[in-house]
Amino acid sequence: MSGVTVKDVDPTEFIKALAAYFKQSGKIDLPDWHDLVKTATFPPEQARENMSGVTVKDVDPTEFIKALAAYFKQSGKIDLPDWHDLVKTATHKEMCPIDPDWYYIRAASLARKVYIRGGTGVGAFKKVYGGRSRQCKSMEHFNKACGGLIRHILKQLGEMEIVEVRGDRKGRWLTKNGQRQLDTIAGQIAK
C-alpha cells in the first residue's frame, strides 16, 4: 500500500477512476450521463460561490450570538459555575440576569468581540459591558462591569482553544481553531 487516502487525491481524478472501476467490473450499470464526469469540474462553480467564505463580520450579530450560545450549550464544553445564578454582571445592576442561558450568551458575545477586535483585554471588556449607574437621584455615572466574570469566561474560551494570550502582546487573541469554528457557525447562519 502506498498510504494514499481519498483526501490526498484530486476529486475529479478520483471520480474518473471510480467510474472506470465500476465500468470495468460490471457490478454497477452506469447511466448514460457518466461520461459527463470527464468534463465536470469539482466542485461546480455555483458551489464555489457558496464556499466563498462567510465570516462572522458578514452575518447579523444578534443571530450569530444566539447560534454560538446554542452551540456552547449543546456542546457542553463550557461548564457553568456554581454561582452563575447568583452573581450580578456589574455593580450597577440590581439583580442577577433573568435568562437562564445568560452565561452562554455572554461567552458567545465575548468570543465575537475578540474575533472583531483582537488584542482586547479584560479592562476594555469591562468598559464595553458597563453601563450607567443610577444609585441616587442627583447624578448619573458610568460603572464598569465585573472583571472576574469576564476573566472566568475568557479562561473557559481559552480552554476550548478559541482565544489565547500571546506572550509578546497584550489582550486576548483569536486562535486559528477558534476562527474556523466561528466562521463555520457564521456560514451555517448565512445559508
Side-chain angles (χ1 to χ4, degrees):
M1 287 220 117
S2 63
V4 177
T5 64
V6 175
K7 295 178 182 177
D8 300 332
V9 181
D10 180 45
T12 307
E13 296 298 322
F14 175 75
I15 291 172
K16 287 178 185 177
L18 191 62
Y21 168 76
F22 285 138
K23 186 176 182 181
Q24 183 182 22
S25 67
K27 294 179 182 178
I28 296 178
D29 294 327
L30 294 176
D32 296 330
W33 50 264
H34 80 277
D35 291 331
L36 295 175
V37 173
K38 297 176 183 175
T39 59
T41 59
F42 187 85
E45 294 301 321
Q46 297 131 353
R48 285 188 187 152
E49 291 173 8
N50 294 340
M51 292 173 29
S52 63
V54 176
T55 65
V56 174
K57 296 178 182 180
D58 298 332
V59 296
D60 182 44
T62 307
E63 291 179 17
F64 176 76
I65 289 172
K66 286 180 185 177
L68 186 58
Y71 168 75
F72 285 157
K73 186 176 182 179
Q74 184 182 20
S75 68
K77 293 181 181 178
I78 289 187
D79 298 326
L80 288 177
D82 298 334
W83 40 264
H84 83 278
D85 56 342
L86 304 172
V87 70
K88 299 190 309 180
T89 57
T91 57
H92 61 275
K93 300 285 187 181
E94 292 184 14
M95 297 174 56
C96 62
I98 296 171
D99 186 4
D101 296 334
W102 72 269
Y103 194 82
Y104 299 112
I105 293 170
R106 181 61 61 95
S109 176
L110 279 167
R112 182 185 175 278
K113 289 203 179 287
V114 171
Y115 184 100
I116 299 295
R117 186 174 180 187
T120 310
V122 175
F125 285 129
K126 285 171 64 174
K127 291 177 193 170
V128 169
Y129 292 105
R132 69 179 187 149
S133 173
R134 293 264 323 182
Q135 299 290 338
C136 61
K137 267 166 103 172
S138 61
M139 301 284 283
E140 292 182 9
H141 292 286
F142 179 82
N143 278 4
K144 294 180 181 180
C146 296
L149 173 67
I150 293 170
R151 194 173 298 109
H152 189 269
I153 293 173
L154 287 173
K155 283 184 181 179
Q156 287 200 339
L157 291 175
E159 291 171 4
M160 292 174 61
E161 296 180 357
I162 292 177
V163 299
E164 68 182 353
V165 178
R166 294 185 181 168
D168 59 336
R169 301 171 122 181
K170 292 184 177 182
R172 308 289 168 129
W173 297 87
L174 199 67
T175 62
K176 295 280 186 190
N177 183 26
Q179 183 176 359
R180 186 178 68 246
Q181 286 180 2
L182 298 184
D183 285 342
T184 301
I185 293 171
Q188 291 172 356
I189 293 171
K191 288 182 182 177

